[in-house]
Amino acid sequence: MNKSILTITFQVLVSLQCGNLVGQNLEVLQKARLVPSHLDSCNLEYASEVSLFYPRKLAVDGDKFYLNAGPKTVAFDGKQYWSKNANGKDALISKMKVSASIQLDIHPLILPYSWFWENISQGKWTDLRSQEIWDATIKRMTFRESKPILGQDCCIYEIAYSSDNVFSVALGKDGFPIQVESKKDGKSSKLEVLRVVRHSSGAIIGTEFLRTIPDDTQSSVLVQEKSLRINEKVDPALFSFDPLGVVELIDLDKKSK
């Protein structure tokens, strides 16, 4: 185990012992918060069952991300957010911390962590690599029970938010969320992670998801595993904004002044 992981492990134990989960499956929570820290970079393509012929391409490298989601491409190169419409003629740039929803889509890396935010549309992959945010999230969690879920022994935790949104998350023994149930305004929804890929680095990624919404309608999200590259070098040019062919460029930083 390298020095950085040892440091995080120590911080994990301290923060957990200071919280309201003392003695309640600390090892599972420790593993849960370490799982995202094992993923430094990733390339993948994914699609829902209704858009299998139009896969979306996702790449992350530290805090950099790129998402081609059909009608629009969005990215962050470490300094600047940018987006382009599919025709390549309309683009937007900004160095400000614009809304995280610029990511445009709830992609497979953050999908199992819907419970981590009060509103998942505001969720960012980099949040899951922040031990400070984990500290705040764990303080909201209450251990409920241990039981088998989808063939795995799991610890079940509940987390409630001020918006009356209550989540129940099942963490496997390796700390990865394999089932999330949400109840809000008397309506329930569920996410099940049916298949995962476990990388030698310790990174774990869900590759097949089943979502059930309140009217019992179900839909699937599938990662094309042949496209999956974990902790391999990502071409930095992928994250960079290319103004070639852009006719209308909107600089949000200038418009805000």
Side-chain angles (χ1 to χ4, degrees):
M1 183 178 289
N2 62 40
K3 185 177 180 180
S4 62
I5 296 298
L6 283 171
T7 301
I8 292 174
T9 301
F10 175 75
Q11 293 172 339
V12 166
L13 291 174
V14 171
S15 63
L16 287 176
Q17 290 169 356
C18 293
N20 60 0
L21 291 164
V22 175
Q24 298 179 349
N25 302 284
L26 300 186
E27 184 179 355
V28 171
L29 283 173
Q30 177 184 341
K31 290 179 179 179
R33 66 190 295 164
L34 288 177
V35 166
S37 69
H38 292 299
L39 193 147
D40 296 316
S41 64
C42 181
N43 251 315
L44 60 83
E45 293 183 2
Y46 68 101
S48 67
E49 60 186 355
V50 296
S51 60
L52 290 177
F53 297 107
Y54 304 98
R56 302 181 175 192
K57 180 177 177 59
L58 170 71
V60 298
D61 187 355
D63 62 346
K64 301 175 184 177
F65 73 85
Y66 169 93
L67 175 62
N68 183 315
K72 183 174 288 188
T73 297
V74 296
F76 177 63
D77 63 7
K79 295 182 179 179
Q80 176 177 260
Y81 292 91
W82 61 267
S83 66
K84 267 187 179 183
N85 288 337
N87 61 16
K89 295 181 179 180
D90 305 313
L92 177 151
I93 59 173
S94 174
K95 290 184 179 179
M96 301 185 305
K97 279 291 183 180
V98 295
S99 170
S101 62
I102 195 171
Q103 289 189 120
L104 190 67
D105 193 45
I106 301 172
H107 57 69
L109 295 187
I110 65 172
L111 191 55
Y113 293 95
S114 57
W115 51 276
F116 199 76
W117 303 274
E118 187 164 2
N119 183 351
I120 191 175
S121 68
Q122 301 298 311
K124 296 182 293 183
W125 170 248
T126 48
D127 293 344
L128 293 165
R129 293 166 60 86
S130 165
Q131 295 307 304
E132 290 77 15
I133 297 179
W134 269 98
D135 286 343
T137 302
I138 285 176
K139 288 178 182 178
R140 306 182 72 102
M141 299 176 72
T142 303
F143 173 72
R144 290 307 185 198
E145 61 179 326
S146 297
K147 67 177 182 180
I149 299 287
L150 297 174
Q152 296 188 48
D153 292 331
C154 293
C155 293
I156 315 299
Y157 297 88
E158 184 176 279
I159 180 167
Y161 290 98
S162 58
S163 62
D164 197 33
N165 199 359
V166 180
F167 291 93
S168 175
V169 54
L171 299 179
K173 293 301 183 182
D174 54 13
F176 190 75
I178 63 167
Q179 181 176 282
V180 181
E181 294 185 84
S182 171
K183 293 183 179 180
K184 185 174 182 179
D185 300 328
K187 298 180 180 180
S188 300
S189 58
K190 181 190 294 185
L191 172 76
E192 296 172 290
V193 185
L194 304 181
R195 182 175 173 81
V196 301
V197 168
R198 292 175 170 83
H199 191 258
S200 58
S201 65
I204 306 174
I205 294 178
T207 57
E208 183 178 350
F209 307 88
L210 180 64
R211 293 190 286 192
T212 305
I213 60 176
D215 66 358
D216 290 331
T217 299
Q218 293 185 322
S219 62
S220 299
V221 176
L222 304 169
V223 171
Q224 298 181 359
E225 291 194 23
K226 290 183 178 180
S227 71
L228 185 59
R229 301 289 183 271
I230 299 174
N231 291 343
E232 297 181 13
K233 182 177 176 59
V234 181
D235 183 357
L238 188 65
F239 306 106
S240 299
F241 175 66
D242 182 2
L244 183 65
V246 174
V247 175
E248 183 178 3
L249 176 62
I250 300 175
D251 187 333
L252 287 182
D253 299 343
K254 292 181 179 179
K255 288 179 69 70
S256 65
K257 294 179 179 180

